Amino acid sequence: MRALVAFMGASLLALWLANFAGGHGADPVWLLVVKTAVVLGLFGFFIRAVVRRRETDEGAASSILVVHASQTGIAEDLARRTAEMLIAGGRDASVVDIASIDAARLAAQQTALFVASTTGEGDPPDSASRFALREMAKPAGLSGLQYAVLALGDRGYADYCGFGRRLDEWLAASGASALFDRLDVDRGDERALAEWFARLGDLGASELDTGAFSFSRWRLAERRELNPGSDNSPVFHVALEPVGDLPDWKAGDIAVIAPRADPELADSAPPSPVREYSLASLPTDNRAELVVRQMRGPDGRLGLGSGWLTERCAVGGEVEMRLRANRSFRGPDDARPVILLGAGSGVAGLRAHIKERAAAGRNRNWLLFGERDREKDYLYRDEIEAWRAQGVLARLDLGFLREDGEQVFVERLLLDAGDEARAWIADGASIYVSGSRTGVGAGVDRALRELLGAGKVDALVAEGRYRRDVY
């Protein structure tokens, strides 16, 4: 700023000296005054712009940046709640996807809070893959940054909270200062989350609105097996009706269930963690519908969530549930084509998307679905065939066990339709994948990279045109 003022003074002095040195060609005094006023006005405008820019930069730096790396929407939801608490406490806070920032943005911040999910064995969420590859490859200069990390994971994996842990290590190696130790959360453990929200009080956040995490009462209205006689584990259609007002949701969103523990283990079991299921219906159906596969442990005992929903809770009984937005698996807002790929119970989220698209009159939908046996495992067969007959599905590809004993997987269907798949994607299609991470998730990803090349697939992720709900 001092340099600008000095430059302005020197410029005005030069203007006056040049004028008087000009002899008979010199401007009259009144014109010289006008020129001086114009110069002063221009400098004043420039200085005000610099000051406003500096104030804006300083304000951005002092704002608390809440960064989420989310796969199924949990991290994003928690990041938004974190920012809401900070704002309610009088702090300036903003929420961003990790895909939209880089090390330079972080270097300009004073405080950043990270809510980071881990997918599979220590992998970053899809939206964070580019950040992990480009920014975390080596330490950055973040000595002016204070940070904290909330790492979300599942102890069932060997590399528990792997991405959150590596993010924490990278920030420390980059010179950033931790506000407090990283907090690891196993499958949404609300006791661990409560500690995170308590820590935010040191940053001026208001107390947590406990109602934000409260469950509502729902009645189990219908349960039917979708694959009777199958060699696979039983899969059930489960319908729940609210005891009270019906909340709103969109295709791609998640039902969070608080199952009741097996009474045989009630005395020894810890408090039951929540279980999450993709919503297979829309609010216009007037009920939340889920697709639940029975899971069993090594001892043959039914899993906590699937056992509760498919067996222990009687039809007509009450279920505690809340709905959570999953923006990372929401459908496009326009009429662009969509390619939906899934296997087994992964059909749930795809079913909701097709219903949503059909209601909006958007029929450029291509479904690729696979399971074991066409006669026993073709989940929602009547609905899917009706959608094809009505034109809701522009194309349908199915993969089942062939007569020669070969299993036709979804990724094989995609590779066989390579030219058309490339044409749909070139025409702006978005891709949605739902099902097992190690099965259809990994298989489709390999197939896409073979068809399009790794660079194009990474670009689709960055553009939000390749979305996965895999588990």
Side-chain angles (χ1 to χ4, degrees):
M1 186 65 71
R2 290 179 180 177
L4 285 174
V5 172
F7 179 73
M8 178 184 69
S11 298
L12 289 175
L13 179 61
L15 175 67
W16 281 76
L17 289 175
N19 186 73
F20 288 121
H24 294 293
D27 293 329
V29 173
W30 68 266
L31 182 56
L32 188 59
V33 171
V34 170
K35 289 183 176 181
T36 301
V38 170
V39 171
L40 287 171
L42 290 173
F43 270 104
F45 175 81
F46 182 70
I47 289 171
R48 285 194 298 273
V50 170
V51 170
R52 282 196 300 269
R53 176 63 180 270
R54 177 175 293 179
E55 290 175 346
T56 299
D57 290 346
E58 290 174 350
S62 62
S63 171
I64 297 177
L65 193 68
V66 186
V67 183
H68 64 82
S70 187
Q71 183 68 34
T72 63
I74 300 176
E76 181 179 358
D77 185 54
L78 289 170
R80 292 185 183 280
R81 295 189 192 282
T82 295
E84 289 168 3
M85 289 175 61
L86 290 165
I87 292 170
R91 297 300 305 271
D92 185 13
S94 57
V95 180
V96 297
D97 190 325
I98 198 170
S100 68
I101 65 169
D102 55 18
R105 171 80 179 274
L106 293 176
Q109 290 292 138
Q110 293 178 2
T111 307
L113 305 177
F114 296 83
V115 185
S117 292
T118 293
T119 62
E121 285 293 354
D123 297 326
D126 292 340
S127 63
S129 57
R130 182 170 294 190
F131 183 92
L133 182 64
R134 295 185 177 181
E135 306 299 331
M136 294 171 58
K138 61 182 179 179
L142 303 178
S143 58
L145 178 70
Q146 291 184 310
Y147 77 94
V149 175
L150 179 67
L152 310 180
D154 184 339
R155 288 193 184 277
Y157 290 92
D159 197 358
Y160 171 55
C161 289
F163 176 66
R165 186 182 65 256
R166 285 192 293 278
L167 176 62
D168 182 32
E169 293 169 350
W170 174 77
L171 289 163
S174 298
S177 302
L179 293 162
F180 47 84
D181 291 342
R182 184 188 72 248
L183 294 173
D184 297 341
V185 180
D186 179 28
R187 299 189 68 169
D189 180 2
E190 298 197 1
R191 290 168 297 180
L193 292 177
E195 184 177 353
W196 168 262
F197 290 117
R199 296 275 190 155
L200 295 179
D202 295 337
L203 299 176
S206 68
E207 292 185 4
L208 174 66
D209 176 11
T210 55
F213 289 98
S214 62
F215 289 86
S216 299
R217 295 164 56 211
W218 296 70
R219 184 178 66 86
L220 203 163
E222 180 190 2
R223 178 170 60 213
R224 72 175 188 273
E225 189 173 353
L226 295 174
N227 61 341
S230 172
D231 294 332
N232 287 342
S233 300
V235 178
F236 288 84
H237 170 93
V238 175
L240 300 132
E241 296 176 348
V243 180
D245 295 334
L246 182 75
D248 191 27
W249 71 87
K250 294 182 180 296
D253 288 350
I254 301 290
V256 183
I257 303 287
R260 296 180 189 171
D262 187 335
E264 296 181 14
L265 301 176
D267 293 336
S268 59
S272 300
V274 298
R275 292 292 186 266
E276 299 194 339
Y277 299 91
S278 299
L279 286 156
S281 61
L282 300 176
T284 50
D285 296 308
N286 294 315
R287 57 189 195 173
E289 296 175 345
L290 315 176
V291 180
V292 183
R293 184 184 295 277
Q294 283 191 346
M295 305 297 291
R296 293 185 180 273
D299 61 356
R301 191 183 302 275
L302 277 172
L304 180 64
S306 67
W308 171 239
L309 291 174
T310 67
E311 188 170 300
R312 292 198 302 275
C313 182
V315 174
E318 286 194 1
V319 173
E320 293 180 289
M321 181 173 77
R322 67 169 183 259
L323 306 185
R324 178 174 57 74
N326 181 15
R327 294 173 183 83
S328 62
F329 203 64
R330 291 270 179 88
D333 294 329
D334 52 29
R336 73 180 62 191
V338 297
I339 303 173
L340 306 121
L341 308 101
S345 59
V347 73
L350 305 184
R351 180 177 186 252
H353 276 295
I354 296 170
K355 282 173 165 279
E356 190 171 75
R357 300 270 297 178
R362 298 168 179 170
N363 294 339
R364 292 197 64 191
N365 310 308
W366 178 0
L367 175 64
L368 301 94
F369 174 74
E371 249 290 5
R372 181 176 175 81
D373 187 290
R374 178 182 291 269
E375 298 304 319
K376 299 175 182 178
D377 297 303
Y378 189 171
L379 309 182
Y380 295 110
R381 177 175 189 157
D382 291 345
E383 279 189 0
I384 292 172
E385 294 295 340
W387 284 329
R388 175 161 61 175
Q390 295 161 5
V392 171
L393 293 177
R395 176 164 177 165
L396 173 65
D397 289 79
L398 300 168
F400 296 103
L401 191 68
R402 300 194 320 192
E403 291 183 0
D404 62 5
E406 181 185 356
Q407 180 70 55
V408 181
F409 295 105
V410 171
E411 57 266 32
R412 183 73 259 164
L413 299 174
L414 182 63
L415 289 170
D416 289 346
D419 289 342
E420 187 162 359
R422 282 187 284 263
W424 275 57
I425 293 166
D427 199 27
S430 290
I431 302 165
Y432 291 80
V433 184
S434 183
S436 164
R437 168 171 294 278
T438 57
V440 67
V444 168
D445 192 71
R446 286 193 301 268
L448 283 172
R449 292 176 187 277
E450 181 177 335
L451 286 174
L452 306 174
K456 177 61 176 177
V457 173
D458 292 341
L460 291 174
V461 173
E463 295 166 16
R465 290 175 53 201
Y466 176 26
R467 299 172 180 259
R468 304 196 298 169
D469 179 18
V470 293
Y471 39 85

